[in-house]
Amino acid sequence: MKLKILPPTLRNNKRYISFEAISEVPLGKEDVIPLVWESSLNFHGECKTSKFDLWIMRVWYVKSIDDKNIIRGILQCNREEVSSVRAAILLINKFKGKRVVFHTIGISGTIKAGIKKFIKLEK
């Protein structure tokens, strides 16, 4: 018997948070994932974090100025939990003993709009 997929009217609405991270060491997607999860688990706990439906969609390396490495990325989360996710990623301040700062650039309803409005990749 084939499983039926959930109709769009019953699915959770998603939002995409565009963020920028400035760090003293280079960061990749594999480094950002545990940072975000650890921060949200420490701040909100397991029960609240499980409601976030948190996924890291993409991460771009932007540039390196002096000893600062800048990356931008997009997080997917549940629409009702956007403010909680923003609070959790703002609390990230260390990676491998070096300073790192995360801040939110903007929130969008689609990945395409988030890239176009907030990430603004140079071509």
Side-chain angles (χ1 to χ4, degrees):
M1 184 168 145
K2 187 176 178 181
L3 294 174
K4 294 183 180 180
I5 61 170
L6 204 57
T9 55
L10 296 177
R11 294 182 200 157
N12 288 334
N13 292 326
K14 299 177 181 110
R15 290 295 177 262
Y16 299 93
I17 300 173
S18 302
F19 67 90
E20 184 174 62
I22 303 167
S23 66
E24 294 178 341
V25 293
L27 289 172
K29 185 175 180 178
E30 298 79 24
D31 302 323
V32 173
I33 293 169
L35 282 174
V36 171
W37 275 104
E38 183 181 329
S39 177
S40 62
L41 285 172
N42 288 339
F43 187 58
H44 295 291
E46 288 183 17
C47 290
K48 179 90 173 177
T49 302
S50 67
K51 296 176 185 175
F52 290 171
D53 294 333
L54 193 60
W55 289 97
I56 296 176
M57 304 306 290
R58 298 206 40 204
V59 174
W60 294 272
Y61 181 76
V62 178
K63 57 186 166 184
S64 179
I65 302 171
D66 298 327
D67 61 339
K68 296 173 183 67
N69 299 293
I70 301 172
I71 64 165
R72 290 186 183 153
I74 295 184
L75 288 168
Q76 173 187 306
C77 69
N78 192 348
R79 183 182 71 185
E80 287 80 25
E81 303 295 337
V82 169
S83 59
S84 300
V85 173
R86 288 180 70 187
I89 65 170
L90 290 175
L91 295 173
I92 301 170
N93 60 4
K94 293 279 184 189
F95 175 68
K96 293 184 180 178
K98 301 289 185 178
R99 294 181 298 176
V100 62
V101 115
F102 276 75
H103 64 274
T104 304
I105 303 171
I107 298 168
S108 63
T110 63
I111 296 173
K112 185 177 180 180
I115 293 170
K116 186 176 179 182
K117 289 181 187 176
F118 306 117
I119 302 297
K120 297 179 183 171
L121 297 172
E122 299 167 3
K123 295 183 180 185

